[in-house]
């Protein structure tokens, strides 16, 4: 799993991890474990993550730009510095009306 995670005890700037790529979504694993994941995701303007139904709560923090998050057909507009928890078993998608970066955290334990 070493290659799937960011190096431990390495100081880094969250905004420096991912660059934007034209017409793309770029994801970097910070921590990837069986019990959960932390990712930094950069999404270019006009792109979106595919609609999904997650079995787990999903914590989203916008660290740069603005995001449109749809949860069960309700729209939430988040600015840099704002967060939202998407409840488990909710239909959701994340859209970039302008490019943005976010931290995505999913904890998979405690749902047994």
């Amino acid at each position: 799993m070493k290659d799937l995670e960011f190096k431990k005890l390495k100081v880094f700037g969250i905004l420096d991890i991912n660059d934007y790529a034209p017409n793309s979504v770029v994801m970097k694993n910070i921590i990837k474990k069986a019990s959960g994941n932390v990712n930094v995701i950069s999404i270019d303007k006009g792109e979106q993550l595919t609609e999904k139904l997650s079995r787990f709560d999903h914590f989203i923090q916008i660290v740069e730009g603005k995001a449109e998050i749809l949860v069960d057909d309700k729209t939430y507009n988040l600015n840099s510095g704002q967060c939202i928890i998407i409840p488990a078993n909710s239909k959701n998608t994340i859209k970039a009306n302008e490019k943005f970066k976010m931290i995505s955290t999913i904890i998979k334990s405690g749902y047994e």
Side-chain angles (χ1 to χ4, degrees):
M1 253 208 210
K2 273 196 254 179
D3 297 331
L4 299 177
E5 293 184 352
F6 213 72
K7 292 184 179 187
K8 293 174 178 52
L9 296 177
K10 177 183 178 182
V11 177
F12 57 92
I14 205 72
L15 295 178
D16 301 327
I17 293 174
N18 278 355
D19 287 326
Y20 294 102
N23 306 312
S24 297
V25 174
V26 180
M27 184 183 313
K28 173 71 177 177
N29 294 318
I30 302 300
I31 300 171
K32 185 168 181 66
K33 304 285 185 195
S35 58
N37 306 313
V38 178
N39 300 299
V40 175
I41 303 170
S42 300
I43 304 179
D44 195 27
K45 180 179 179 177
E47 298 299 314
Q48 70 179 41
L49 297 179
T50 304
E51 183 177 85
K52 64 181 175 182
L53 186 72
S54 176
R55 296 182 358 228
F56 312 104
D57 288 343
H58 192 170
F59 176 77
I60 301 291
Q61 178 184 6
I62 306 305
V63 294
E64 182 176 76
K66 297 178 183 178
E68 179 181 328
I69 300 175
L70 283 82
V71 181
D72 291 332
D73 299 321
K74 184 170 181 184
T75 300
Y76 300 87
N77 292 296
L78 278 71
N79 296 310
S80 182
Q82 293 184 309
C83 309
I84 191 168
I85 299 172
I86 300 172
N89 302 309
S90 296
K91 180 177 68 170
N92 66 86
T93 190
I94 300 174
K95 296 182 178 183
N97 295 325
E98 65 177 65
K99 66 183 183 177
F100 73 92
K101 292 182 181 182
M102 69 181 195
I103 299 171
S104 167
T105 305
I106 298 175
I107 305 299
K108 298 177 182 178
S109 63
Y111 292 89
E112 301 80 34

